[in-house]
Amino acid sequence: SLVLGGLDGDGTPRQKLTAMRDGLALFYADGERSCLADLFSVEGTPATIRAPLAGGLKAWIAAVARVVEEAGIDPAEAARRGEDMVIRVEGALVVSRALGDTRPFSNVLARLVDDLLARA
């Protein structure tokens, strides 16, 4: 996949996270497409859709945490950063759509890799 594929590939943690970030930009057309988690998590969405969505988000968080750990970040902190990253990306997509302005999404992506790899 565009987003998760780079996280399991070869390269340094920075290269892997950069590939993920670039995949996000492509997948969401630089913030012009709607957030899938927002669209498919609303009440009334069938469990057959919600369950895979939850599984996908958990897998994304775990994959990011593994790469952040590879960079020498403590496992608990890496897991927190993985979850925070998903929240930031998905939230930026919602805000971008609500404002009709892709800058919130672009701003989050611009800082994403450095924030994930920052030393505590």
Side-chain angles (χ1 to χ4, degrees):
S1 88
L2 280 173
V3 176
L4 294 178
L7 294 173
D8 292 327
D10 294 329
T12 67
R14 180 169 295 279
Q15 290 168 330
K16 292 177 185 183
L17 293 169
T18 298
M20 178 200 66
R21 182 204 58 209
D22 294 347
L24 285 166
L26 271 171
F27 185 80
Y28 286 110
D30 293 321
E32 291 181 11
R33 288 195 185 124
S34 296
C35 161
L36 296 177
D38 183 40
L39 293 174
F40 295 125
S41 64
V42 295
E43 190 174 330
T45 300
T48 54
I49 294 174
R50 289 174 70 156
L53 173 64
L57 289 172
K58 287 177 184 177
W60 187 14
I61 291 166
V64 168
R66 278 193 307 275
V67 173
V68 172
E69 267 189 75
E70 284 178 33
I73 304 295
D74 171 77
E77 175 63 12
R80 187 201 65 74
R81 289 183 189 193
E83 181 179 69
D84 182 65
M85 184 271 321
V86 171
I87 291 167
R88 289 172 58 197
V89 167
E90 297 296 328
L93 286 165
V94 171
V95 171
S96 288
R97 184 182 68 208
L99 296 177
D101 181 354
T102 61
R103 279 182 297 165
F105 182 71
S106 297
N107 290 340
V108 165
L109 289 190
R111 298 185 309 268
L112 196 66
V113 175
D114 287 338
D115 287 353
L116 284 167
L117 296 177
R119 294 289 171 208

Short mmCIF file of all heavy atoms in Angstrom, two decimals, residues 54-113:
data_model
loop_
_atom_site.label_atom_id
_atom_site.label_comp_id
_atom_site.label_asym_id
_atom_site.label_seq_id
_atom_site.Cartn_x
_atom_site.Cartn_y
_atom_site.Cartn_z
N ALA A 54 -10.80 -0.40 12.15
CA ALA A 54 -10.09 -0.42 13.43
C ALA A 54 -8.81 -1.23 13.32
O ALA A 54 -7.75 -0.82 13.81
CB ALA A 54 -11.00 -0.98 14.53
N GLY A 55 -8.90 -2.37 12.65
CA GLY A 55 -7.71 -3.20 12.46
C GLY A 55 -6.63 -2.49 11.66
O GLY A 55 -5.44 -2.59 11.98
N GLY A 56 -7.05 -1.77 10.64
CA GLY A 56 -6.10 -1.03 9.82
C GLY A 56 -5.42 0.09 10.60
O GLY A 56 -4.21 0.30 10.46
N LEU A 57 -6.18 0.79 11.42
CA LEU A 57 -5.59 1.86 12.23
C LEU A 57 -4.61 1.30 13.24
O LEU A 57 -3.52 1.85 13.44
CB LEU A 57 -6.68 2.67 12.92
CG LEU A 57 -7.52 3.57 12.01
CD1 LEU A 57 -8.69 4.18 12.77
CD2 LEU A 57 -6.68 4.66 11.38
N LYS A 58 -4.98 0.18 13.87
CA LYS A 58 -4.07 -0.46 14.84
C LYS A 58 -2.79 -0.92 14.15
O LYS A 58 -1.69 -0.75 14.70
CB LYS A 58 -4.77 -1.63 15.52
CG LYS A 58 -5.83 -1.21 16.51
CD LYS A 58 -6.54 -2.43 17.10
CE LYS A 58 -7.67 -1.98 18.01
NZ LYS A 58 -8.41 -3.14 18.54
N ALA A 59 -2.91 -1.48 12.97
CA ALA A 59 -1.73 -1.93 12.23
C ALA A 59 -0.84 -0.76 11.84
O ALA A 59 0.40 -0.85 11.91
CB ALA A 59 -2.17 -2.71 10.98
N TRP A 60 -1.45 0.35 11.45
CA TRP A 60 -0.69 1.54 11.08
C TRP A 60 0.07 2.08 12.29
O TRP A 60 1.27 2.37 12.21
CB TRP A 60 -1.65 2.58 10.52
CG TRP A 60 -1.03 3.81 9.94
CD1 TRP A 60 0.28 4.02 9.60
CD2 TRP A 60 -1.71 5.01 9.64
NE1 TRP A 60 0.44 5.28 9.10
CE2 TRP A 60 -0.77 5.92 9.11
CE3 TRP A 60 -3.03 5.42 9.75
CZ2 TRP A 60 -1.11 7.20 8.71
CZ3 TRP A 60 -3.37 6.71 9.34
CH2 TRP A 60 -2.42 7.58 8.83
N ILE A 61 -0.61 2.19 13.43
CA ILE A 61 0.03 2.67 14.66
C ILE A 61 1.21 1.76 15.02
O ILE A 61 2.30 2.23 15.33
CB ILE A 61 -0.99 2.74 15.81
CG1 ILE A 61 -2.00 3.87 15.54
CG2 ILE A 61 -0.29 2.93 17.15
CD1 ILE A 61 -3.24 3.82 16.43
N ALA A 62 0.99 0.45 14.98
CA ALA A 62 2.04 -0.50 15.35
C ALA A 62 3.22 -0.43 14.38
O ALA A 62 4.39 -0.50 14.81
CB ALA A 62 1.47 -1.91 15.40
N ALA A 63 2.96 -0.27 13.10
CA ALA A 63 4.03 -0.20 12.11
C ALA A 63 4.88 1.05 12.31
O ALA A 63 6.11 1.00 12.25
CB ALA A 63 3.45 -0.24 10.70
N VAL A 64 4.23 2.16 12.58
CA VAL A 64 4.97 3.40 12.83
C VAL A 64 5.78 3.25 14.12
O VAL A 64 6.96 3.62 14.17
CB VAL A 64 4.01 4.62 12.92
CG1 VAL A 64 4.73 5.84 13.46
CG2 VAL A 64 3.42 4.91 11.55
N ALA A 65 5.18 2.69 15.15
CA ALA A 65 5.89 2.50 16.42
C ALA A 65 7.14 1.63 16.23
O ALA A 65 8.20 1.93 16.79
CB ALA A 65 4.96 1.89 17.46
N ARG A 66 7.04 0.58 15.43
CA ARG A 66 8.21 -0.29 15.18
C ARG A 66 9.34 0.50 14.53
O ARG A 66 10.51 0.35 14.90
CB ARG A 66 7.82 -1.46 14.27
CG ARG A 66 7.18 -2.62 14.99
CD ARG A 66 7.10 -3.86 14.12
NE ARG A 66 6.47 -3.66 12.83
CZ ARG A 66 5.16 -3.70 12.60
NH1 ARG A 66 4.32 -3.92 13.60
NH2 ARG A 66 4.67 -3.51 11.40
N VAL A 67 9.00 1.34 13.56
CA VAL A 67 10.04 2.12 12.87
C VAL A 67 10.63 3.16 13.82
O VAL A 67 11.85 3.37 13.82
CB VAL A 67 9.47 2.77 11.59
CG1 VAL A 67 10.49 3.71 10.96
CG2 VAL A 67 9.04 1.70 10.60
N VAL A 68 9.81 3.78 14.62
CA VAL A 68 10.31 4.77 15.59
C VAL A 68 11.22 4.08 16.61
O VAL A 68 12.26 4.63 16.98
CB VAL A 68 9.14 5.53 16.24
CG1 VAL A 68 9.62 6.42 17.37
CG2 VAL A 68 8.40 6.36 15.19
N GLU A 69 10.86 2.88 17.03
CA GLU A 69 11.73 2.10 17.92
C GLU A 69 13.07 1.80 17.26
O GLU A 69 14.11 1.84 17.93
CB GLU A 69 11.06 0.76 18.27
CG GLU A 69 10.27 0.79 19.54
CD GLU A 69 9.83 -0.61 19.92
OE1 GLU A 69 10.68 -1.40 20.40
OE2 GLU A 69 8.63 -0.91 19.73
N GLU A 70 13.05 1.49 15.98
CA GLU A 70 14.31 1.23 15.24
C GLU A 70 15.25 2.42 15.35
O GLU A 70 16.47 2.25 15.27
CB GLU A 70 14.03 0.99 13.75
CG GLU A 70 13.47 -0.34 13.40
CD GLU A 70 13.19 -0.43 11.89
OE1 GLU A 70 13.93 0.19 11.09
OE2 GLU A 70 12.22 -1.10 11.53
N ALA A 71 14.69 3.61 15.49
CA ALA A 71 15.50 4.82 15.59
C ALA A 71 16.03 5.04 17.00
O ALA A 71 16.69 6.04 17.26
CB ALA A 71 14.68 6.03 15.14
N GLY A 72 15.73 4.11 17.92
CA GLY A 72 16.26 4.21 19.27
C GLY A 72 15.34 4.84 20.29
O GLY A 72 15.76 5.14 21.40
N ILE A 73 14.09 5.01 19.93
CA ILE A 73 13.12 5.59 20.86
C ILE A 73 12.54 4.47 21.71
O ILE A 73 12.26 3.38 21.22
CB ILE A 73 11.99 6.34 20.10
CG1 ILE A 73 12.57 7.41 19.16
CG2 ILE A 73 10.96 6.92 21.05
CD1 ILE A 73 13.29 8.54 19.82
N ASP A 74 12.35 4.73 23.00
CA ASP A 74 11.78 3.77 23.95
C ASP A 74 10.46 3.21 23.41
O ASP A 74 9.66 3.96 22.84
CB ASP A 74 11.54 4.50 25.28
CG ASP A 74 10.76 3.68 26.26
OD1 ASP A 74 11.35 2.78 26.88
OD2 ASP A 74 9.54 3.94 26.41
N PRO A 75 10.21 1.90 23.57
CA PRO A 75 8.99 1.29 23.02
C PRO A 75 7.68 1.96 23.44
O PRO A 75 6.79 2.15 22.60
CB PRO A 75 9.05 -0.15 23.52
CG PRO A 75 10.50 -0.42 23.73
CD PRO A 75 11.09 0.89 24.17
N ALA A 76 7.55 2.33 24.70
CA ALA A 76 6.31 2.98 25.15
C ALA A 76 6.14 4.34 24.48
O ALA A 76 5.05 4.72 24.06
CB ALA A 76 6.30 3.12 26.67
N GLU A 77 7.23 5.08 24.36
CA GLU A 77 7.18 6.39 23.70
C GLU A 77 6.92 6.22 22.22
O GLU A 77 6.17 7.00 21.61
CB GLU A 77 8.49 7.15 23.94
CG GLU A 77 8.59 8.47 23.22
CD GLU A 77 7.56 9.52 23.62
OE1 GLU A 77 6.87 9.35 24.64
OE2 GLU A 77 7.43 10.53 22.89
N ALA A 78 7.52 5.20 21.61
CA ALA A 78 7.29 4.94 20.19
C ALA A 78 5.82 4.63 19.93
O ALA A 78 5.24 5.12 18.95
CB ALA A 78 8.17 3.78 19.72
N ALA A 79 5.20 3.85 20.80
CA ALA A 79 3.77 3.53 20.65
C ALA A 79 2.92 4.79 20.80
O ALA A 79 1.97 5.00 20.05
CB ALA A 79 3.36 2.48 21.68
N ARG A 80 3.28 5.65 21.76
CA ARG A 80 2.54 6.91 21.94
C ARG A 80 2.67 7.79 20.70
O ARG A 80 1.70 8.37 20.23
CB ARG A 80 3.07 7.66 23.18
CG ARG A 80 2.21 8.90 23.52
CD ARG A 80 2.98 9.90 24.36
NE ARG A 80 4.12 10.49 23.69
CZ ARG A 80 4.06 11.43 22.74
NH1 ARG A 80 2.90 11.88 22.30
NH2 ARG A 80 5.16 11.94 22.21
N ARG A 81 3.87 7.85 20.15
CA ARG A 81 4.09 8.67 18.95
C ARG A 81 3.33 8.11 17.75
O ARG A 81 2.82 8.87 16.93
CB ARG A 81 5.58 8.76 18.63
CG ARG A 81 6.34 9.62 19.62
CD ARG A 81 7.78 9.74 19.25
NE ARG A 81 8.54 10.38 20.32
CZ ARG A 81 9.77 10.85 20.17
NH1 ARG A 81 10.39 10.77 19.01
NH2 ARG A 81 10.40 11.39 21.20
N GLY A 82 3.27 6.78 17.63
CA GLY A 82 2.52 6.18 16.54
C GLY A 82 1.04 6.55 16.61
O GLY A 82 0.44 6.94 15.61
N GLU A 83 0.48 6.44 17.80
CA GLU A 83 -0.93 6.80 17.97
C GLU A 83 -1.15 8.29 17.73
O GLU A 83 -2.10 8.69 17.04
CB GLU A 83 -1.40 6.43 19.37
CG GLU A 83 -2.86 6.75 19.62
CD GLU A 83 -3.30 6.34 21.00
OE1 GLU A 83 -2.84 6.97 21.99
OE2 GLU A 83 -4.08 5.38 21.10
N ASP A 84 -0.27 9.11 18.27
CA ASP A 84 -0.39 10.56 18.09
C ASP A 84 -0.29 10.94 16.61
O ASP A 84 -1.03 11.81 16.13
CB ASP A 84 0.71 11.28 18.88
CG ASP A 84 0.62 12.78 18.78
OD1 ASP A 84 -0.37 13.34 19.27
OD2 ASP A 84 1.54 13.39 18.19
N MET A 85 0.57 10.25 15.87
CA MET A 85 0.72 10.54 14.44
C MET A 85 -0.56 10.27 13.69
O MET A 85 -0.99 11.09 12.88
CB MET A 85 1.87 9.69 13.88
CG MET A 85 2.21 9.95 12.44
SD MET A 85 1.32 8.98 11.17
CE MET A 85 1.20 7.39 11.88
N VAL A 86 -1.20 9.14 13.98
CA VAL A 86 -2.46 8.83 13.30
C VAL A 86 -3.52 9.85 13.66
O VAL A 86 -4.27 10.33 12.79
CB VAL A 86 -2.93 7.38 13.63
CG1 VAL A 86 -4.33 7.14 13.13
CG2 VAL A 86 -1.95 6.38 13.02
N ILE A 87 -3.60 10.22 14.91
CA ILE A 87 -4.56 11.25 15.34
C ILE A 87 -4.31 12.56 14.61
O ILE A 87 -5.24 13.20 14.11
CB ILE A 87 -4.49 11.45 16.87
CG1 ILE A 87 -5.01 10.21 17.59
CG2 ILE A 87 -5.25 12.70 17.30
CD1 ILE A 87 -4.69 10.17 19.07
N ARG A 88 -3.06 12.96 14.51
CA ARG A 88 -2.72 14.22 13.84
C ARG A 88 -3.07 14.18 12.35
O ARG A 88 -3.65 15.13 11.82
CB ARG A 88 -1.25 14.54 14.03
CG ARG A 88 -0.93 14.97 15.46
CD ARG A 88 0.55 15.11 15.72
NE ARG A 88 1.16 16.07 14.81
CZ ARG A 88 2.47 16.15 14.60
NH1 ARG A 88 3.29 15.33 15.21
NH2 ARG A 88 2.95 17.05 13.77
N VAL A 89 -2.71 13.10 11.69
CA VAL A 89 -2.97 13.00 10.25
C VAL A 89 -4.47 12.97 9.99
O VAL A 89 -4.98 13.73 9.15
CB VAL A 89 -2.29 11.75 9.65
CG1 VAL A 89 -2.80 11.45 8.26
CG2 VAL A 89 -0.77 11.93 9.65
N GLU A 90 -5.18 12.10 10.68
CA GLU A 90 -6.62 11.98 10.45
C GLU A 90 -7.35 13.26 10.85
O GLU A 90 -8.26 13.72 10.15
CB GLU A 90 -7.17 10.77 11.20
CG GLU A 90 -6.61 9.44 10.73
CD GLU A 90 -6.95 9.09 9.30
OE1 GLU A 90 -8.03 9.48 8.81
OE2 GLU A 90 -6.13 8.42 8.65
N GLY A 91 -6.93 13.86 11.95
CA GLY A 91 -7.55 15.13 12.37
C GLY A 91 -7.29 16.25 11.39
O GLY A 91 -8.17 17.06 11.10
N ALA A 92 -6.08 16.29 10.84
CA ALA A 92 -5.75 17.32 9.86
C ALA A 92 -6.60 17.17 8.60
O ALA A 92 -6.99 18.17 7.99
CB ALA A 92 -4.26 17.26 9.51
N LEU A 93 -6.89 15.93 8.23
CA LEU A 93 -7.76 15.71 7.07
C LEU A 93 -9.17 16.23 7.32
O LEU A 93 -9.78 16.85 6.45
CB LEU A 93 -7.79 14.23 6.71
CG LEU A 93 -6.53 13.70 6.03
CD1 LEU A 93 -6.52 12.18 6.05
CD2 LEU A 93 -6.42 14.22 4.61
N VAL A 94 -9.68 15.98 8.52
CA VAL A 94 -11.02 16.45 8.87
C VAL A 94 -11.05 17.98 8.87
O VAL A 94 -11.96 18.60 8.31
CB VAL A 94 -11.46 15.89 10.24
CG1 VAL A 94 -12.76 16.54 10.71
CG2 VAL A 94 -11.62 14.38 10.17
N VAL A 95 -10.05 18.60 9.50
CA VAL A 95 -10.00 20.06 9.56
C VAL A 95 -9.83 20.65 8.17
O VAL A 95 -10.49 21.64 7.82
CB VAL A 95 -8.89 20.52 10.53
CG1 VAL A 95 -8.68 22.03 10.45
CG2 VAL A 95 -9.22 20.10 11.96
N SER A 96 -8.99 20.05 7.36
CA SER A 96 -8.80 20.54 5.99
C SER A 96 -10.11 20.50 5.21
O SER A 96 -10.45 21.46 4.51
CB SER A 96 -7.74 19.70 5.26
OG SER A 96 -6.46 19.98 5.77
N ARG A 97 -10.85 19.40 5.36
CA ARG A 97 -12.13 19.29 4.65
C ARG A 97 -13.12 20.34 5.17
O ARG A 97 -13.80 21.01 4.40
CB ARG A 97 -12.71 17.89 4.81
CG ARG A 97 -14.00 17.73 3.99
CD ARG A 97 -14.64 16.38 4.16
NE ARG A 97 -15.12 16.28 5.52
CZ ARG A 97 -15.24 15.14 6.19
NH1 ARG A 97 -14.91 14.01 5.65
NH2 ARG A 97 -15.70 15.13 7.41
N ALA A 98 -13.18 20.51 6.49
CA ALA A 98 -14.13 21.46 7.08
C ALA A 98 -13.83 22.90 6.66
O ALA A 98 -14.74 23.69 6.42
CB ALA A 98 -14.13 21.34 8.60
N LEU A 99 -12.55 23.22 6.55
CA LEU A 99 -12.15 24.58 6.18
C LEU A 99 -12.09 24.80 4.67
O LEU A 99 -11.99 25.94 4.22
CB LEU A 99 -10.78 24.91 6.78
CG LEU A 99 -10.66 24.96 8.29
CD1 LEU A 99 -9.22 25.21 8.70
CD2 LEU A 99 -11.59 26.01 8.88
N GLY A 100 -12.10 23.70 3.92
CA GLY A 100 -11.92 23.84 2.48
C GLY A 100 -10.53 24.34 2.15
O GLY A 100 -10.33 25.08 1.19
N ASP A 101 -9.54 23.91 2.95
CA ASP A 101 -8.18 24.41 2.84
C ASP A 101 -7.24 23.26 3.20
O ASP A 101 -7.32 22.72 4.30
CB ASP A 101 -7.99 25.57 3.82
CG ASP A 101 -6.61 26.19 3.79
OD1 ASP A 101 -5.72 25.67 3.10
OD2 ASP A 101 -6.42 27.20 4.50
N THR A 102 -6.36 22.88 2.32
CA THR A 102 -5.47 21.74 2.56
C THR A 102 -4.25 22.07 3.42
O THR A 102 -3.47 21.17 3.75
CB THR A 102 -4.99 21.14 1.23
OG1 THR A 102 -4.26 22.14 0.51
CG2 THR A 102 -6.15 20.62 0.40
N ARG A 103 -4.10 23.31 3.82
CA ARG A 103 -2.92 23.68 4.61
C ARG A 103 -2.79 22.92 5.93
O ARG A 103 -1.66 22.53 6.29
CB ARG A 103 -2.88 25.18 4.86
CG ARG A 103 -2.32 25.93 3.65
CD ARG A 103 -2.23 27.40 3.90
NE ARG A 103 -3.59 27.90 4.13
CZ ARG A 103 -3.89 29.06 4.65
NH1 ARG A 103 -2.93 29.88 5.00
NH2 ARG A 103 -5.13 29.44 4.80
N PRO A 104 -3.85 22.66 6.69
CA PRO A 104 -3.65 21.89 7.92
C PRO A 104 -3.01 20.52 7.66
O PRO A 104 -2.10 20.10 8.39
CB PRO A 104 -5.06 21.75 8.50
CG PRO A 104 -5.77 22.98 7.99
CD PRO A 104 -5.23 23.18 6.60
N PHE A 105 -3.44 19.84 6.62
CA PHE A 105 -2.87 18.54 6.28
C PHE A 105 -1.41 18.71 5.85
O PHE A 105 -0.53 17.99 6.32
CB PHE A 105 -3.70 17.88 5.17
CG PHE A 105 -3.21 16.52 4.79
CD1 PHE A 105 -3.37 15.44 5.63
CD2 PHE A 105 -2.61 16.31 3.56
CE1 PHE A 105 -2.92 14.17 5.27
CE2 PHE A 105 -2.17 15.06 3.18
CZ PHE A 105 -2.32 13.98 4.04
N SER A 106 -1.14 19.66 4.99
CA SER A 106 0.23 19.91 4.53
C SER A 106 1.16 20.27 5.68
O SER A 106 2.31 19.81 5.72
CB SER A 106 0.25 21.03 3.49
OG SER A 106 -0.48 20.65 2.35
N ASN A 107 0.66 21.07 6.61
CA ASN A 107 1.47 21.46 7.76
C ASN A 107 1.83 20.27 8.64
O ASN A 107 2.96 20.16 9.12
CB ASN A 107 0.76 22.53 8.59
CG ASN A 107 0.69 23.86 7.88
OD1 ASN A 107 1.45 24.14 6.96
ND2 ASN A 107 -0.25 24.70 8.29
N VAL A 108 0.87 19.38 8.86
CA VAL A 108 1.14 18.18 9.66
C VAL A 108 2.17 17.30 8.95
O VAL A 108 3.12 16.82 9.57
CB VAL A 108 -0.16 17.40 9.96
CG1 VAL A 108 0.12 15.99 10.45
CG2 VAL A 108 -0.99 18.15 11.00
N LEU A 109 2.00 17.09 7.66
CA LEU A 109 2.95 16.26 6.92
C LEU A 109 4.35 16.86 6.92
O LEU A 109 5.34 16.13 6.98
CB LEU A 109 2.48 16.03 5.49
CG LEU A 109 1.27 15.12 5.29
CD1 LEU A 109 1.11 14.80 3.81
CD2 LEU A 109 1.34 13.85 6.11
N ALA A 110 4.44 18.17 6.85
CA ALA A 110 5.75 18.83 6.80
C ALA A 110 6.57 18.56 8.06
O ALA A 110 7.80 18.47 7.99
CB ALA A 110 5.57 20.34 6.60
N ARG A 111 5.92 18.41 9.20
CA ARG A 111 6.61 18.20 10.48
C ARG A 111 6.66 16.73 10.90
O ARG A 111 7.32 16.38 11.88
CB ARG A 111 5.91 18.99 11.58
CG ARG A 111 5.91 20.48 11.39
CD ARG A 111 5.28 21.20 12.59
NE ARG A 111 3.98 20.67 12.97
CZ ARG A 111 2.81 21.13 12.53
NH1 ARG A 111 2.77 22.11 11.66
NH2 ARG A 111 1.68 20.60 12.94
N LEU A 112 5.93 15.88 10.22
CA LEU A 112 5.66 14.52 10.68
C LEU A 112 6.92 13.71 10.98
O LEU A 112 7.07 13.16 12.08
CB LEU A 112 4.80 13.80 9.64
CG LEU A 112 4.11 12.54 10.12
CD1 LEU A 112 3.08 12.85 11.18
CD2 LEU A 112 3.46 11.84 8.94
N VAL A 113 7.81 13.59 10.04
CA VAL A 113 8.98 12.74 10.21
C VAL A 113 9.88 13.26 11.33
O VAL A 113 10.30 12.50 12.21
CB VAL A 113 9.75 12.59 8.89
CG1 VAL A 113 11.04 11.80 9.09
CG2 VAL A 113 8.87 11.91 7.84
#
